[in-house]
Structure formats: C-alpha cells, structure tokens
Amino acid sequence: MKRILVTGGSGFLGSHLCERLLKEGNEVLCVDNLFTGRKSNIHHLLDNNNFEFLRHDITWPLYVEVDEVYNLACPASPVHYQFDPVQTTKTSVLGAINMLGLAKRLKIRILQASTSEVYGDPEVHPQPESYKGSVSTTGIRACYDEGKRCAETLFFDFHRQHGIEIKVMRIFNTYGPRMHPQDGRVVSNFIVQALKGEDITIYGNGQQTRSFCYVDDNIEGMYRLMNSRPDFTGPVNIGNPVEFTMLELAELIIEITGSSSKLIFLPLPQDDPMQRKPVIDLAKKELDWEPKVDLRTGLISTIAYFDNLLQSDHKV
C-alpha cells in the first residue's frame, strides 16, 4: 500500500483520480484549497479509512510523508483562472516548487498535470509533444498558459539538477461527471444551456475545433504514466484525437437532450485557439494507452450528471 498525495484532489479530475487510487488499494491524501474544488466531489470518500482530506493552498509549503505525488492543483477553466490571474500563476509556479521540494526531500516520484494550453494557439496541427507552442506572454490566458509552461521547466530542471523522478502529462480537453457547472468550458456550458432550454452561445463562427477526452480515459492515462518505466519522463499528450467543431458539439448535445435551445453566435474571446488536437503516438507506444469512450457515450453520462445536479439545485 502506498500513501499518495493528490493536490487539487477535490476538483473534477482530482476526485476521479482519488477514487481510482483508492480502488488500487492505496491510501490517499487529498489536498485542496477549495477555490474551484468542491467537497461534494469527495463526500462519498470521506468514510473510507484510507482517504484523508486536508484543506491547504500549495503556494505554501506542505510537510507530509507520502510515497508519490500527483500535482493537479490549479484552476483550469478560463472563467476561474482569469478571476485571479496572479494567484493562478503563483499556483502553477510556487506550487510546482513546493511539490518538487517535497518530492526531493522524500526522494519520491511526482507527476505534473500540465495542459495542451502550453501549445497556445497552435501553428502546427495536430500537436505533437515536440511542438514548442505559440503562446502570448501578455494575453488574458497567459497566467495559465505560461504558468504551466514554467511548471514544466521547473519539473525538468529538478529532474536534471536533483535526480527527481518526474512524469509530465499534457492534458487535452477532458469532460465528464463532476465538471463544475459554472466553469465556462464549452461542454458544461452547452449542456447546462440545453437542459435549461436557454440559447446555446457559440463564440466565433463555430468552426473552431476541439478534441474531447472522457474523464475515465484521462485518469487511465494518468495512472499508466505515473507507473511507467522510471526513465520515461514525458511530456506526453493525453487526449482524444477525434476532432469536432463547436457546431457539431452543440448539435449533438441538443440531439441527446432533446432540447429546444437555439444557437446564438458571439465574438471570439481573446487568444482563444482555433484548433486543438493531440498526437498520441507517444502515449500509445510508452503507455499502451488510447481513449476508449466515444463522444456520444461520454456525453450521455455527463448530461445525466448535470440533469441530476440541476434538479437537485431546483429542489433546494
């Protein structure tokens, strides 16, 4: 049995990871400052004797004894990370320094949940790990994009300078149950608007594309990366290479929900990337991983989650 630290553990991805690690027979220390994470995501785990929750902000040092670290802490949606951009950068940079310091002291393996945002608005499509990115250092998304890029730099410098075992995972658009209903992401926005019968807001002309990975596939990739051979550091793309336009996504959600929602078009936000699609050859080769859940199947369970959530809120 390992004792595993998950920062950001009460968030969307973190709570699913905590579940997976507990099922594998580990003790889990879930750390979160609850800025975007929610206790409701981990409520069902609190009675498990192998699960512990600690409210803490990783921009401050953390002194615990663990065997592995998954560093997921950071607001990940534009609405949340632009709310306090300085704190977002601090979480990525100071948080990485503090967690790497912990890993150095304990001589343990640490995984960084990085992001496809390190590629910015890509000039190469689809994006392989070798692509260096096209990122604005001064735009409204830079606090997240550049914060995550700097965190990757820190991970590799700690690896080279101190011999820390690192794993760096670049996460592409992921969706599923426990997404925050007000996170401003396209899947949650469209689903909530469709279920409420509101107009579905599409930014730009709807032809910009994304690839959507279901949360279970993401967590499987993350788990396999952490447990991969010691000399494989990444970075490695984890995402679904099947591409959809925003119009296709909206129409599919309207079809599944049976909604009467209409589509309306608004101006494209600053620095919003037009294309995003991973090359996953490295993940296939090193992790024997590729996504299994198609978009329709994943949306059905995600819509059911949001439908229950909205009904519960209405009853309250």
Side-chain angles (χ1 to χ4, degrees):
M1 178 184 287
K2 294 177 184 175
R3 179 167 167 79
I4 301 177
L5 168 62
V6 178
T7 72
S10 67
F12 164 46
L13 289 181
S15 61
H16 285 277
L17 176 61
C18 287
E19 277 184 342
R20 173 63 185 271
L21 296 174
L22 288 168
K23 286 177 182 176
E24 297 290 341
N26 301 292
E27 289 185 2
V28 173
L29 173 59
C30 167
V31 168
D32 205 301
N33 68 353
L34 299 179
F35 174 60
T36 57
R38 295 180 293 169
K39 277 192 175 178
S40 59
N41 287 339
I42 56 168
H43 187 265
H44 62 296
L45 303 177
L46 295 175
D47 290 334
N48 189 318
N49 290 332
N50 290 328
F51 181 79
E52 180 182 354
F53 172 72
L54 174 65
R55 186 165 184 171
H56 179 82
D57 188 323
I58 65 162
T59 61
W60 298 93
L62 180 63
Y63 301 101
V64 293
E65 303 298 317
V66 292
D67 301 305
E68 285 179 352
V69 180
Y70 287 82
N71 187 36
L72 277 63
C74 189
S77 73
V79 168
H80 292 143
Y81 67 64
Q82 290 169 16
F83 175 78
D84 189 344
V86 173
Q87 185 64 23
T88 295
T89 303
K90 288 170 67 176
T91 301
S92 287
V93 177
L94 296 180
I97 290 171
N98 287 329
M99 291 305 102
L100 285 162
L102 177 67
K104 177 188 171 187
R105 177 176 71 83
L106 297 174
K107 298 179 173 60
I108 59 174
R109 183 176 292 191
I110 180 170
L111 181 145
Q112 167 69 358
S114 190
T115 171
S116 62
E117 297 294 338
V118 300
Y119 299 124
D121 189 1
E123 297 166 351
V124 172
H125 191 74
Q127 295 81 55
E129 290 87 354
S130 59
Y131 176 53
K132 300 300 189 294
S134 174
V135 180
S136 166
T137 61
T138 59
I140 59 173
R141 300 171 70 103
C143 60
Y144 184 70
D145 302 1
E146 294 288 41
K148 288 289 191 177
R149 285 166 68 93
C150 184
E152 287 196 11
T153 300
L154 287 163
F155 265 70
F156 278 90
D157 284 340
F158 264 78
H159 172 65
R160 286 184 288 258
Q161 188 172 341
H162 301 296
I164 304 301
E165 276 196 44
I166 64 165
K167 306 288 180 180
V168 176
M169 169 183 180
R170 290 178 178 165
I171 298 172
F172 282 68
N173 289 63
T174 304
Y175 70 100
R178 297 190 207 135
M179 293 184 80
H180 197 295
Q182 284 89 42
D183 66 7
R185 297 187 200 185
V186 64
V187 172
S188 48
N189 273 2
F190 286 3
I191 290 176
V192 170
Q193 289 168 340
L195 289 172
K196 288 183 173 181
E198 299 172 349
D199 291 337
I200 290 182
T201 52
I202 294 179
Y203 296 97
N205 61 10
Q207 293 306 309
Q208 64 269 42
T209 65
R210 295 292 185 274
S211 53
F212 300 101
C213 184
Y214 189 63
V215 61
D216 290 356
D217 286 331
N218 177 289
I219 297 303
E220 180 64 29
M222 191 180 298
Y223 184 78
R224 291 191 185 199
L225 175 58
M226 177 61 101
N227 294 283
S228 61
R229 57 186 174 83
D231 61 336
F232 180 64
T233 60
V236 59
N237 291 338
I238 297 294
N240 194 317
V242 181
E243 202 170 5
F244 292 89
T245 68
M246 298 301 93
L247 272 176
E248 289 172 329
L249 175 66
E251 289 164 356
L252 182 55
I253 288 172
I254 287 173
E255 177 198 330
I256 295 171
T257 58
S259 175
S260 58
S261 294
K262 302 293 186 288
L263 305 181
I264 61 169
F265 295 84
L266 299 176
L268 197 64
Q270 179 185 337
D271 296 332
D272 194 51
M274 290 302 296
Q275 295 175 304
R276 192 60 66 69
K277 174 183 174 180
V279 174
I280 62 168
D281 294 350
L282 187 60
K284 287 180 179 178
K285 178 187 174 196
E286 292 291 343
L287 310 178
D288 191 26
W289 177 91
E290 60 183 316
K292 307 293 184 188
V293 181
D294 65 89
L295 184 60
R296 176 181 288 273
T297 302
L299 282 176
I300 288 171
S301 63
T302 307
I303 288 167
Y305 167 79
F306 277 109
D307 194 24
N308 289 334
L309 192 67
L310 291 173
Q311 288 186 34
S312 298
D313 288 347
H314 180 69
K315 289 173 186 174
V316 173

